[in-house]
Structures are given as C-alpha cells and as structure tokens.
C-alpha cells in the first residue's frame, strides 16, 4: 500500500509540474474556436489592480481559460453529462437524433410585446409618412424547440412559444403588418420531411435554407401574391458545420451538420455594400466563410450594423428596408427575386440614427425578421423611435 501511495504522489507531482510548466511557458491562446469567444489571458501585474481585487479575479479567469487540454476536458464533461442520463447542461438540451437544442425555459413576453409595439409605431408614424411604400411585414419565426418538440428530452421544461407567437401575429396584423403564421407553416413542413432533410441545424440555433424557404413561401402567401417559382439548384456547400449549440455543449460525439444552399446564376450578380458605400463583394453568398470557423456566414456574412444589396434580377425599382437578426441571412436570397435594393439593419450593432437611414432610401417596403427568442431578449427596438 505504501508503494502504491508513493506512485500516486509521484504521478500527481509530475502532473502538477507539467501543468504548471505548460501554463508558464506556453503561449496563451487568445481565442477558442470551439466556443467561438475570446479567451482570458494572463493580466499584467500592477499594485492598483491587486489592491482592488481585480488582479486575482483576472488570474482565476485566465487559469480557467488557459488550462491545458481545456477543449478536450470540456468535451469529456459533455460526454459524461450526456451518457449518464442528463437531459441538458444548462445551456443546451441533449435532444433526440443527435440534435442540440438551445435551452430557453422562459421567454420575456412583456419585452416581446414592447418591441412589437415599437415596430408598429415606427411603421405607422415614420415609415409610412417618410417613404414611398405602403407595405410592412413582421416575419417572426419559432425555434426548433417549438417546431420539433418531439426531439426534446422527456419532460424538458422549455418555454411554450405557440401562444406568444400567435399573439404576436395577431398584434402585427392589427398594426397593419403582414404577419405570416410561420409556426403553422414550419410545423406542417416538419411533419412531412424526408429523413435527410432538416428545417433547423442539429448543432446550431439557426434554421437551414430549407427552413428559410418554407418561411418565405408562407410570407408570400400572407401577401396573397402569386408564388414566385424561380428554379434553384440545391447544393451542398459544407459537410463540416459545428454550430453555436455545439460550441455550448462541446460534445465530440455528435457529427457536424451539412450546409445546403439554394443557388441560381442571378445571385452571382448581387452586389454587397457596407455602410460606407464600399463594395464588399459581388455575389450574395460569402464563399470565404466555408473555410472559416462559421459556415453559416456563407449566408450573407457576419452580423453587421448595416449592409446593402443591389441587383438587377427583376428590373423593378422596389426597395426594401429590413430590421433583422441572423435568421434573416438564409432568407434574404429569396427576397432578391423581388427587390432591386435591400438595406439590412441589425439594431443590436447600429449606432447611426434610423431616421438618417430612412432619408437615404426612398424605400417601398419594410420588414422585421427575427426569431422569437432573439426578439424577446432584445432591448434595442427603442432605436427605431429615436430622432
């Protein structure tokens, strides 16, 4: 027994020494591609931060982020949680059919209603009075937790989105907005999917482009317009997409998602401009994203405060102003069939007054496109009402 204890102590000493040496002499990692966030690095020493207690806190944070084999240990933790029967890790559910579904046990209904009130106020009192347009739309999407409830673990306490969505659709229509019932459209499509089809990614919170196209058809139907039957070729552009939910779980046992895109030659002529009016690229889809860390950015690109699309696909002079979250990115190619100019604004990052954007555009149409969870947690719609 003494011999075993000595061996254990010796192994422990070697482990402590190796860990300490690695922490001291290895170059700190500044970014985790697994978690998609900046990592805490060792803080500079100064007496002021020590006296304030900040230095020790920063050291603790850096130690947690720079610990050797951190990604592997997080993956082992997720594996253990999943295969010991835990239904979630507090951030994502370990759902059926290798799905990782974001945990949202509560949705802030009051904030959701306030945001929709702001949207209606902006539409009625600013957009209609300062633009040439007469049409606005509220395109509000459910998440997979609602559409694919059967995938959730038994008794998973996730928020019920249906009543909030139905109330939002009714409120939008009462405010003069086209508000298609995306919950109904996506739920009906979900029931009739083939085994290799997905409306939402398994490892990410976004919908796939099949999900976005399903929503687009519901949007057109809500306008009582003829369906646009443009011919798209559906192409697999990536087979190695690990999404944000995978990053939150860090489980290595779930295979990556495939990414499919709806493509047509006309989309190659779409010009993408930044807020300074500079041409970013020609072609809607962002090819560079496929070799990066987030292939979902193939749809338009990374989130920004302001982007403008210009095209001559249909030859009309219709101009759309859209306020959105990243769900809109996979939806936008279909709108290029209808508009020659699309100005895309993400209020979360916007510092320019919305009134200035209105003055630039001569817009014919307005759209709000969000998923319900993002919109209910957003406190930026007040920017719509600022001068």
């Amino acid at each position: 027994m003494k011999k075993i204890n000595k061996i254990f102590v010796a192994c422990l000493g070697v482990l402590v020494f190796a860990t300490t040496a690695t922490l001291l002499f290895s170059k700190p990692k500044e970014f985790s591609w697994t978690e998609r966030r900046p990592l805490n690095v060792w803080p500079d020493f100064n007496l002021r931060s020590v006296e304030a207690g900040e230095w020790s806190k920063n050291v603790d944070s850096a130690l947690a982020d720079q610990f050797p084999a951190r990604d592997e240990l997080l993956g082992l933790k997720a594996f253990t949680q999943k295969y010991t029967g835990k239904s979630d890790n507090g951030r994502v559910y370990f759902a059926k059919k290798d799905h990782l579904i974001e945990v949202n046990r509560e949705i802030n209904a009051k904030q959701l209603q306030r945001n929709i009130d702001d949207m209606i106020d902006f539409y009625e009192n600013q957009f209609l009075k300062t633009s040439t347009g007469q049409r606005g739309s509220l395109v509000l999407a459910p998440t997979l937790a609602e559409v694919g409830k059967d995938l959730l673990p038994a008794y998973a306490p996730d928020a019920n989105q249906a009543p909030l969505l139905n109330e939002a659709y009714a409120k939008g229509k009462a405010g003069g907005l086209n508000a298609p019932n995306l919950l109904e459209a996506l739920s009906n499509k979900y029931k009739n999917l083939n085994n290799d089809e997905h409306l939402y990614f398994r490892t990410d919170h976004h919908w796939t482009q099949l999900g976005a196209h399903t929503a687009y058809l519901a949007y057109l139907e809500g306008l009582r317009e003829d369906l646009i039957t443009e011919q798209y070729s559906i192409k697999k552009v990536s087979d190695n997409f690990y999404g944000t939910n995978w990053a939150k779980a860090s489980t290595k046992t779930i295979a990556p998602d495939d990414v499919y895109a709806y493509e047509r030659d006309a989309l190659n002529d779409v010009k993408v401009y930044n807020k300074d009016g500079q041409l970013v690229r020609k072609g809607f889809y962002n090819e560079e994203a496929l070799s990066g860390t987030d292939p979902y950015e193939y749809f338009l690109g990374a989130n920004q405060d302001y982007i403008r699309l210009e095209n001559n696909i249909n030859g009309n002079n219709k101009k759309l102003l859209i306020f959105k979250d990243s769900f809109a990115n996979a939806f936008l190619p279909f709108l290029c069939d209808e508009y020659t100019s699309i100005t895309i604004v993400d209020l979360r990052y916007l510092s320019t007054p919305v009134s200035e954007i209105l003055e630039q555009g001569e817009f014919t149409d307005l759209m709000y496109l969000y998923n319900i969870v993002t919109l209910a947690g957003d406190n930026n719609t007040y920017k719509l009402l600022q001068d």
Side-chain angles (χ1 to χ4, degrees), residues 14 29 66 119 142 158 168 221 235 254 320 370:
V14 170
K29 294 181 179 180
Q66 299 298 329
M119 291 171 167
D158 211 67
E221 188 174 340
K235 177 183 175 182
I254 291 180
L320 175 68
Y370 290 82

Side-chain angles (χ1 to χ4, degrees), residues 111-122:
Q111 184 68 49
L112 177 65
Q113 294 305 318
R114 281 195 295 268
N115 290 345
I116 294 175
D117 286 339
D118 289 345
M119 291 171 167
I120 293 172
D121 189 337
F122 175 79

Side-chain angles (χ1 to χ4, degrees), residues 82-83 97-100 198 201-204 238-243 245-247 250-259:
K82 180 178 179 182
Y83 290 99
K97 299 181 180 180
D98 275 352
H99 283 72
L100 297 170
H198 298 279
F201 292 107
R202 292 180 299 100
T203 69
D204 193 71
S238 175
D239 59 3
N240 195 39
F241 176 36
Y242 290 100
N245 290 341
W246 183 88
S250 298
T251 177
K252 311 296 184 183
T253 60
I254 291 180
D257 276 298
D258 294 329
V259 180

Side-chain angles (χ1 to χ4, degrees), residues 58-112:
N58 292 336
V59 168
D60 288 342
S61 298
L63 181 61
D65 279 1
Q66 299 298 329
F67 198 85
R70 182 175 185 275
D71 287 348
E72 289 73 15
L73 291 172
L74 287 173
L76 178 62
K77 178 183 177 183
F79 176 87
T80 303
Q81 289 173 322
K82 180 178 179 182
Y83 290 99
T84 55
K86 287 201 69 173
S87 62
D88 66 88
N89 67 354
R91 304 177 74 189
V92 296
Y93 288 114
F94 303 118
K96 300 171 186 175
K97 299 181 180 180
D98 275 352
H99 283 72
L100 297 170
I101 300 178
E102 190 175 37
V103 173
N104 288 293
R105 296 192 171 102
E106 294 182 3
I107 292 178
N108 190 335
K110 290 184 178 179
Q111 184 68 49
L112 177 65

Side-chain angles (χ1 to χ4, degrees), residues 18 98 102 156-157 202 224 244 300 304 318 378:
D98 275 352
E102 190 175 37
R202 292 180 299 100
R224 295 185 173 87
T244 54
L300 188 62
Q304 300 178 50
K318 295 172 65 178
D378 196 319

Side-chain angles (χ1 to χ4, degrees), residues 171-241:
K171 194 178 189 71
K173 290 177 180 177
L177 299 171
N178 166 42
N181 191 328
L182 297 195
L183 175 58
E184 181 179 27
L186 289 163
S187 296
N188 289 338
K189 182 70 174 179
Y190 178 78
K191 295 174 185 175
N192 297 291
L193 288 176
N194 297 324
N195 289 333
D196 59 344
E197 292 181 321
H198 298 279
L199 295 179
Y200 297 80
F201 292 107
R202 292 180 299 100
T203 69
D204 193 71
H205 68 287
H206 292 107
W207 53 19
T208 63
Q209 204 158 32
L210 174 60
H213 189 253
T214 302
Y216 176 68
L217 295 180
Y219 156 75
L220 289 181
E221 188 174 340
L223 294 173
R224 295 185 173 87
E225 294 186 355
D226 293 335
L227 299 183
I228 296 175
T229 56
E230 299 291 352
Q231 295 299 311
Y232 291 89
S233 61
I234 302 175
K235 177 183 175 182
K236 183 192 288 189
V237 295
S238 175
D239 59 3
N240 195 39
F241 176 36

